[in-house]
Amino acid sequence: MYSFDFERPTTLDDAVKALGQDEAQALGGGQTLIPSLKQRLAMPSKLVSLAAIEELKGVTAEGGVLTVGGGTTHGTVAAEASAYPALAALASNIGDPAVRNRGTVGGSLANNDPAACYPAAALASGATIVTNTREIAADDYFQGMFTTALDEGEIITAVKFPIPEKAAYIKFEQPASRFALVGVFVAKYSDGVKVAVTGASEEGVFRWTEAEEKLSADFSAGAVEGLSLPAEGMMSDLHGSGAYRAHLIGVLTKRAVAAAG
Amino acid sequence: MTKVTMTVNGKTVAKEVRGNMLMTEFLRDELHLTGTHVGCDTSQCGACVIHVNGQDVKACTMFAGEAEGAEVATIEGMANADGSLNTIQQAFQDYHGLQCGFCTPGMVMTAAALLRDNPKPSETEIRDYLEGNICRCTGYHNIVKAIMAASGQDVSAIAAE
């Protein structure tokens, strides 16, 4: 690792101030950032840990919306998001238990790894990303692989997930990394169905609108039978070709609809 | 440099450390607690699992500065007060839950976290919880047996293959 200073503010205001310094970088749970630092893929002057800021933590359900603090760990979401079971299940399958005790929702969304699980949940739920300065709709937030609408030094304080009538997330796991080779989140709301796909596209998480239209008319696995996405634009690596990933999207969408019931 | 103060196995420690010092380095190099092993250093293998405020975490993927004010427990703090092996450690010995022993500190710390939250786990739950702990010797069967035994359950039902 390159050398850097370390700061651990206890209030959001102090964190915003610390992140205002040149080349300062926020540290959530560090489960992606620390490995990146070890590989010298990042060279911050200062790391600002958000883990001591209590106001960023917690899970609450009110008025049909589940609000998760940006600094809430996957383990806590798994244990406390019972109002949105598909989201709790997603959290309980990220990485392994020790990783889930450190990694945070805000960290995952800020990083926007193209194979991360939370972006699919946020997009399929039509979630709102709340930051220290504004609220961003999920549809505007994800802007391609590792790219988001966040400005320099902007901190995700919470994520608001509208709770669907039915939902499920099915992940085809890459067994070594436990990231999604492909993951599909299906969420049914009174005004329609949303389908978000992670792990597949070179553009990162995306909505499969054709499947959404079919499923909004008929919420059954049969409704998306025969529907497929082209292999172009899908990630291709030693774990799976673009064509394989495109195929998995169809399979996992059907499984997710069946699991949502 | 950053000043960190934390409790490690019940003792308060305070040190000036580099901002980029990992918990594995802090424990091993600063405190000379070398029971926490560094296997992969990439958060995959689990040989470095410790408890921070009661939660199992991978010490290779956490900075010392992040443990400011925390209660940290390592394998060195697991034995009984008289120095004898605790229930989990004894079960690992009784059921031969190790061969080379490199992964064992992490296995014991992970098992302790599991049994605290789930005192009578099923075989499936044990295997699932050990997802982030890799052992290249045993094939896991004896580790699973040891954890079953440590939780006071019958191990004879576990397949021997």
Side-chain angles (χ1 to χ4, degrees):
Chain A
M1 270 182 282
Y2 296 109
S3 65
F4 47 78
D5 293 331
F6 186 89
E7 197 168 323
R8 191 171 167 276
T10 53
T11 68
L12 188 59
D13 287 346
D14 286 346
V16 170
K17 218 171 285 169
L19 285 170
Q21 294 163 34
D22 229 18
E23 304 294 325
Q25 184 164 6
L27 173 70
Q31 300 305 286
T32 300
L33 181 54
I34 295 175
S36 306
L37 288 164
K38 288 180 182 178
Q39 293 180 66
R40 296 192 165 185
L41 294 173
M43 195 167 63
S45 64
K46 172 181 276 194
L47 272 196
V48 181
S49 168
L50 306 179
I53 306 171
E54 287 304 318
E55 62 194 290
L56 296 182
K57 295 178 191 175
V59 180
T60 53
E62 207 184 311
V65 176
L66 186 89
T67 303
V68 182
T72 312
T73 62
H74 311 322
T76 300
V77 174
E80 296 181 9
S82 51
Y84 190 164
L87 188 73
L90 173 148
S92 73
N93 274 313
I94 295 172
D96 59 54
V99 167
R100 293 195 286 274
N101 282 336
R102 298 292 306 162
T104 65
V105 179
S108 172
L109 292 176
N111 189 46
N112 191 19
D113 187 296
C117 297
Y118 271 114
L123 201 55
S125 307
T128 302
I129 319 296
V130 185
T131 76
N132 55 312
T133 56
R134 58 186 169 144
E135 299 201 345
I136 310 168
D139 280 324
D140 302 325
Y141 176 82
F142 299 104
Q143 301 188 347
M145 202 182 271
F146 298 111
T147 310
T148 70
L150 291 176
D151 292 327
E152 282 292 304
E154 194 172 359
I155 298 170
I156 297 176
T157 55
V159 187
K160 294 188 204 167
F161 294 93
I163 299 170
E165 292 169 357
K166 294 174 177 180
Y169 174 66
I170 305 284
K171 152 164 89 162
F172 192 95
E173 230 175 51
Q174 202 279 75
S177 72
R178 307 179 192 100
F179 272 92
L181 191 64
V182 173
V184 177
F185 201 109
V186 172
K188 181 181 185 296
Y189 292 87
S190 59
D191 60 350
V193 175
K194 287 195 175 99
V195 178
V197 181
T198 188
S201 170
E202 289 172 348
E203 300 298 315
V205 68
F206 70 97
R207 277 174 63 188
W208 188 13
T209 48
E210 274 179 290
E212 291 181 353
E213 283 162 23
K214 299 272 189 194
L215 290 168
S216 294
D218 170 18
F219 193 71
S220 73
V224 286
E225 189 69 52
L227 209 59
S228 65
L229 281 159
E232 290 92 73
M234 298 296 167
M235 291 188 280
S236 205
D237 55 29
L238 80 168
H239 306 298
S241 65
Y244 182 59
R245 281 186 163 86
H247 172 72
L248 277 181
I249 296 169
V251 173
L252 297 184
T253 301
K254 280 187 267 184
R255 285 186 193 170
V257 172
Chain B
M1 300 291 272
T2 310
K3 183 162 190 234
V4 293
T5 306
M6 66 185 87
T7 308
V8 178
N9 299 329
K11 286 185 199 147
T12 302
V13 293
K15 295 256 181 193
E16 286 271 333
V17 300
R18 305 186 317 268
N20 65 0
M21 178 169 280
L22 297 165
M23 269 307 276
T24 42
E25 297 172 306
F26 184 75
L27 294 169
R28 293 176 58 85
D29 303 341
E30 297 289 325
L31 304 184
H32 307 295
L33 295 172
T34 53
T36 299
H37 289 172
V38 181
C40 66
D41 200 27
T42 56
S43 202
Q44 308 278 325
C45 80
C48 66
V49 170
I50 59 170
H51 297 179
V52 175
N53 292 328
Q55 291 193 307
D56 43 328
V57 304
K58 291 179 169 172
C60 78
T61 308
M62 177 176 183
F63 292 113
E66 291 182 276
E68 170 65 29
E71 301 253 347
V72 175
T74 72
I75 190 68
E76 286 88 348
M78 291 301 277
N80 297 321
D82 65 1
S84 61
L85 299 180
N86 79 1
T87 308
I88 297 169
Q89 292 170 312
Q90 189 60 53
F92 268 72
Q93 185 180 75
D94 293 346
Y95 288 86
H96 200 54
L98 63 146
Q99 287 178 30
C100 85
F102 189 85
C103 73
T104 312
M107 288 286 178
V108 170
M109 298 309 286
T110 299
L114 168 65
L115 296 184
R116 189 199 48 223
D117 294 341
N118 184 357
K120 301 276 179 205
S122 67
E123 181 187 348
T124 306
E125 286 170 334
I126 293 172
R127 290 185 186 277
D128 193 47
Y129 204 85
L130 292 178
E131 182 165 19
N133 290 77
I134 293 173
C135 170
R136 296 296 79 179
C137 304
T138 62
Y140 302 97
H141 292 299
N142 286 355
I143 293 171
V144 175
K145 280 184 186 172
I147 297 171
M148 286 293 264
S151 61
Q153 302 186 87
D154 180 19
V155 302
S156 58
I158 296 178
E161 79 272 25

